[in-house]
Amino acid sequence: MKNINYFLFGLCITASFAGCKMKNTESAVSGDAAAKAYVAPGKYDEFYNFVSGGFSGNVVVYGLPSGRLIKEIPVFSVFPENGYGYSEETKPMLNTTAGFIPWDDQHHLELSQTNGEYDGRWLFANANNTPRVARIDLKTFKTMEILQIPNSAGNHSSPFITENTEYVVAGTRFSVPLGDQDVPISSFKKNFKSTISFIAVDKNTGRMNLAFQIALPGMNLDLSHAGKGVSHDWFFFSSYNTEQAYTLLEVNASQRDKDYIVALNWKKAEEFFKAGKGKKIQAKYAHNVYDEDKEKATSTIENEITMLDVKDLIAAQAIYMIPCPKSPHGCDIDPTGEYIVGSGKLAALIPVFSFSKIQGAIQNKQFEGDFYGIPVIKYEAALHGEVKKPGLGPLHTEFDGKGNAYTSMFLSSEVVKWSLKDLNVIDRSPTFYSTGHLMVPGGDSRKPYGKYLVAYNKITKDRYLPTGPELCQSAQLFDISGDKMELILDFPTIGEPHYGQACPASLIKDQSVKFYDINKNHSEFHTMGEKEAKVVRTGNRVDVYMTAIRSHLVPDNIEGVFVGDEVYFHVTNLEQDWDIPHGFAIKNNPGAELLVMPGETVTLKYLAEKQGITPFYCTDFCSALHQEMSGYLRVSPKGSNVPLKFGTNVIDSASEN
Ligand code: RUQ
Ligand code: CUA
């Protein structure tokens, strides 16, 4: 969305500010609307809404229809609140071939699917900046795996999954030369490639592995979606900059009247891969996995990938280009899999392509030349029809399963409902302001749940109390159960609510883990009971095996640690009850605290840099005597002869007076 013409942008925003604000502000406060979004205290929401954090790098979970924030899940950004990226167990999650990276830009989310329907198992998330894909387990709401993607830059067209979660697919936004070659930027046409990566997902464990890549000519892949039902075997990617500009893209990549949607038969690509037709090439990338049994993450650097040759795919009739007007952005497939909606972000119409017509065009060779050897299907031959005058700046489309589509209009700040059958606009409603993605629960799957629509807005302006120059971004909830869309709630979000998906709470809530079974704690550093608590010195490394239970730590007095020692606090939470984490923090620690879930062991590394008495304490208000849940570490000068001593409730009366 970066290369939007800002002049246009300014104009339209101003227009919609003046025109429509009052009407909807009123409807949002009518008693009727409020009742629709109201979830009484103590009652559960109907849907989980997983929302990407954009530049926050994390994923945020809201309940719908209340809009209540119920969880922030750290994924690509360190999270001092619970120690993600700070604990020894989670640091490897953020490792890459460029070292430890504490942040990213998180755009898209996909819930895992079985037969094209959400199955409530995993959530996949992309990192745009340092290309990676993450998998979150929805039993624990924890990031379990992060896979780096080589030969990619701006991992924007990602992550998109096939109907049975066979693959998570990731396309590059920036074309780059393969294998980090040093070439002139002006050699773009010759040397730069846009790659598509197919990440295979293990059916049972969800474990990801980079199966194969395909290198296409230099262009920008923007978004994508897998086919469904009739189009199950195909994948569709929108592209822009088929002008192959490498400077001032705002102008130079907006020259052509049409760019393309790439149609790729992934089943055929998979056959080539399985038949060993790909070429192994060198590529380094990190694969980080959190092992639930050992309770720690490891990072492995992989060394090669399999590259399929696009020429083989062309020969096998497995790849085509479909012209799509004016810098296509969203590329959305309706629940039947028959209609492919391309949204040209600078176009004044929305082209809707038909899968059966595309197949017919391939059979009848209705082509208009090629793009680097890839046949280009004639626009009219692939077209089902165009939605005329939908609004300005169409970006993304989702579906309600009742034959309607909903498209976000960035420039004219509105959501527009239209019919898939006759492509007529049925309803429109202003949004506040500049909607990027919109979402209907299940709206990109085979089984939309209809009922609600959420618009994720980039600009909030006057919707909330002013908070200085930076305002929160926001989401707006519409009731779409009637003929007319009705705005029923605004809610502020964390970071940029880039995209979101929502599924019925019933898919997830009953399998949610309440605590970890301490008897299955196989951490190398666990302490199974207070009697096992100990402090062990090995050279200048000191391992503290500590337990936490309401309302004390064992040991809470530690002596015999010297300046220059590396102290590892391995804190095991002995509680076996839901929602009783304990925290751990120590004075002057330059990292963060830890939050330790019941039954879990987490490690904080602390460098003893100065002599003195250093208090530590539990940071989670766990009980009435939470303030008592604390202790002291004595750090003595290097070379002194203070003996190693530790315990809780060990009274040394000799030193008392
Ligand atoms: S896309 S600019 Cu999701 Cu509209 Cu990222
Ligand atoms: Cu444990 Cu506060």
Side-chain angles (χ1 to χ4, degrees):
M1 267 160 256
K2 302 284 189 231
N3 65 346
I4 293 292
N5 178 317
Y6 279 92
F7 172 68
L8 246 183
F9 168 90
L11 255 182
C12 300
I13 296 294
T14 323
S16 74
F17 271 175
C20 317
K21 194 182 126 199
M22 285 321 289
K23 196 176 96 214
N24 255 304
T25 307
E26 276 164 18
S27 77
V29 296
S30 81
D32 187 33
K36 284 181 173 166
Y38 184 69
V39 177
K43 291 275 181 276
Y44 286 152
D45 274 291
E46 192 181 344
F47 292 94
Y48 285 98
N49 184 191
F50 300 92
V51 182
S52 41
F55 47 76
S56 90
N58 293 333
V59 170
V60 191
V61 191
Y62 304 88
L64 292 182
S66 73
R68 298 184 294 204
L69 185 155
I70 50 179
K71 178 92 185 160
E72 181 169 4
I73 308 170
V75 184
F76 296 110
S77 289
V78 293
F79 199 54
E81 184 179 320
N82 71 1
Y84 179 81
Y86 292 95
S87 72
E88 292 307 296
E89 286 80 2
T90 56
K91 278 180 189 169
M93 292 303 283
L94 298 175
N95 190 42
T96 71
T97 51
F100 179 90
I101 296 187
W103 169 89
D104 216 299
D105 183 18
Q106 200 281 297
H107 269 204
H108 304 122
L109 296 170
E110 286 263 289
L111 286 158
S112 58
Q113 298 185 5
T114 301
N115 295 325
E117 296 178 18
Y118 297 160
D119 59 19
R121 303 176 77 192
W122 307 299
L123 179 71
F124 297 91
N126 76 323
N128 256 333
N129 187 46
T130 301
R132 284 169 288 172
V133 169
R135 178 174 55 88
I136 295 151
D137 190 329
L138 294 178
K139 284 209 244 9
T140 54
F141 285 56
K142 257 194 186 179
T143 303
M144 301 305 285
E145 194 174 6
I146 293 184
L147 181 69
Q148 194 181 359
I149 303 173
N151 296 319
S152 171
N155 173 43
H156 188 260
S157 188
S158 161
F160 291 94
I161 62 172
T162 53
E163 285 191 284
N164 288 299
T165 319
E166 296 97 331
Y167 292 99
V168 173
V169 176
T172 42
R173 169 165 152 232
F174 295 103
S175 282
V176 284
L178 300 184
D180 300 317
Q181 300 165 61
D182 175 32
V183 295
I185 297 170
S186 57
S187 71
F188 186 104
K189 281 192 184 161
K190 191 166 95 206
N191 290 321
F192 288 40
K193 301 282 175 209
S194 54
T195 56
I196 297 173
S197 306
F198 279 77
I199 299 162
V201 178
D202 184 279
K203 259 201 184 73
N204 302 312
T205 62
R207 204 175 153 117
M208 303 189 284
N209 119 64
L210 184 49
F212 58 90
Q213 287 191 323
I214 301 166
L216 299 179
M219 62 184 151
N220 296 39
L221 295 174
D222 208 11
L223 284 156
S224 50
H225 265 103
K228 316 178 168 86
V230 286
S231 54
H232 173 83
D233 293 359
W234 291 75
F235 225 101
F236 303 90
F237 303 85
S238 59
S239 73
Y240 64 101
N241 191 24
T242 51
E243 293 87 349
Q244 303 188 305
Y246 49 86
T247 181
L248 194 64
L249 265 63
E250 179 182 26
V251 175
N252 297 329
S254 306
Q255 296 300 308
R256 302 185 53 185
D257 203 41
K258 294 193 174 69
D259 294 281
Y260 301 112
I261 284 179
V262 184
L264 171 74
N265 187 319
W266 65 267
K267 281 296 229 184
K268 281 201 182 150
E270 182 187 49
E271 276 168 33
F272 279 115
F273 167 65
K274 289 196 169 153
K277 296 233 171 89
K279 207 168 99 199
K280 300 254 186 242
I281 64 168
Q282 299 283 310
K284 286 209 181 304
Y285 59 99
H287 187 186
N288 311 332
V289 181
Y290 184 85
D291 180 332
E292 266 202 308
D293 183 52
K294 301 212 168 71
E295 299 196 359
K296 68 167 190 196
T298 46
S299 177
T300 312
I301 302 294
E302 308 282 357
N303 291 307
E304 67 176 19
I305 54 121
T306 301
M307 184 68 76
L308 298 190
D309 193 338
V310 65
K311 287 202 204 81
D312 288 342
L313 298 172
I314 297 170
Q317 304 192 317
I319 186 165
Y320 295 93
M321 306 295 259
I322 304 163
C324 188
K326 300 274 175 210
S327 301
H329 187 61
C331 179
D332 301 295
I333 321 289
D334 88 302
T336 67
E338 169 62 14
Y339 300 115
I340 299 127
V341 181
S343 298
K345 55 196 182 231
L346 302 178
L349 52 83
I350 303 171
V352 181
F353 301 98
S354 144
F355 181 72
S356 45
K357 281 187 138 185
I358 293 169
Q359 296 307 304
I362 293 170
Q363 246 140 53
N364 303 325
K365 303 210 172 344
Q366 290 170 285
F367 302 133
E368 49 174 48
D370 66 286
F371 183 71
Y372 289 87
I374 306 171
V376 176
I377 296 174
K378 283 197 177 127
Y379 178 67
E380 287 75 17
L383 193 69
H384 165 56
E386 292 169 341
V387 183
K388 304 276 199 250
K389 301 220 173 98
L392 293 172
L395 291 187
H396 301 281
T397 300
E398 295 226 339
F399 308 89
D400 64 3
K402 293 185 231 152
N404 302 307
Y406 301 79
T407 302
S408 53
M409 300 291 159
F410 182 77
L411 295 176
S412 53
S413 261
E414 57 186 335
V415 287
V416 174
K417 175 182 179 182
W418 49 276
S419 154
L420 276 164
K421 201 162 106 225
D422 55 22
L423 307 183
N424 285 333
V425 171
I426 306 167
D427 188 24
R428 57 177 72 239
S429 178
T431 51
F432 306 92
Y433 305 92
S434 303
T435 303
H437 281 266
L438 48 63
M439 184 276 304
V440 174
D444 85 327
S445 75
R446 263 213 232 183
K447 185 178 169 191
Y449 296 90
K451 198 158 180 180
Y452 299 113
L453 176 146
V454 183
Y456 300 108
N457 303 319
K458 312 293 183 193
I459 293 172
T460 316
K461 287 275 190 223
D462 51 4
R463 300 296 281 186
Y464 300 105
L465 286 172
T467 51
E470 194 198 5
L471 302 172
C472 66
Q473 299 191 16
S474 85
Q476 293 188 291
L477 180 70
F478 292 82
D479 176 351
I480 56 165
S481 55
D483 289 343
K484 292 259 163 208
M485 297 179 277
E486 186 192 0
L487 176 61
I488 55 174
L489 182 73
D490 275 20
F491 59 98
T493 58
I494 289 180
E496 179 209 349
H498 187 90
Y499 177 52
Q501 291 207 330
C503 70
S506 57
L507 279 182
I508 293 174
K509 71 174 176 35
D510 298 332
Q511 26 148 352
S512 196
V513 168
K514 297 200 165 61
F515 55 85
Y516 297 104
D517 181 350
I518 186 98
N519 298 310
K520 292 196 186 132
N521 177 331
H522 296 134
S523 158
E524 194 185 343
F525 299 109
H526 65 196
T527 309
M528 300 303 271
E530 293 185 352
K531 287 205 184 77
E532 286 181 28
K534 61 187 173 187
V535 179
V536 180
R537 170 180 289 284
T538 325
N540 72 337
R541 174 183 171 125
V542 177
D543 287 285
V544 179
Y545 294 79
M546 181 181 276
T547 61
I549 194 162
R550 282 163 288 179
S551 301
H552 56 276
L553 298 162
V554 179
D556 69 2
N557 280 197
I558 303 166
E559 297 192 354
V561 167
F562 307 120
V563 170
D565 281 348
E566 277 181 4
V567 187
Y568 292 83
F569 291 96
H570 310 289
V571 185
T572 299
N573 180 346
L574 297 177
E575 308 278 356
Q576 291 289 274
D577 196 359
W578 193 18
D579 195 24
I580 309 289
H582 291 288
F584 181 82
I586 181 160
K587 186 185 163 188
N588 293 344
N589 170 33
E593 65 156 353
L594 302 176
L595 266 196
V596 192
M597 296 306 125
E600 191 186 37
T601 302
V602 188
T603 302
L604 184 79
K605 179 178 171 182
Y606 176 72
L607 289 177
E609 281 180 318
K610 269 198 196 135
Q611 78 165 61
I613 300 296
T614 313
F616 50 81
Y617 69 99
C618 166
T619 49
D620 193 296
F621 209 115
C622 52
S623 62
L625 297 176
H626 153 78
Q627 283 293 76
E628 281 73 7
M629 199 167 174
S630 61
Y632 290 112
L633 169 73
R634 174 182 175 190
V635 180
S636 305
K638 212 183 181 116
S640 59
N641 57 3
V642 178
L644 186 66
K645 234 169 59 177
F646 54 86
T648 292
N649 204 21
V650 181
I651 311 287
D652 180 358
S653 22
S655 323
E656 271 194 354
N657 299 305

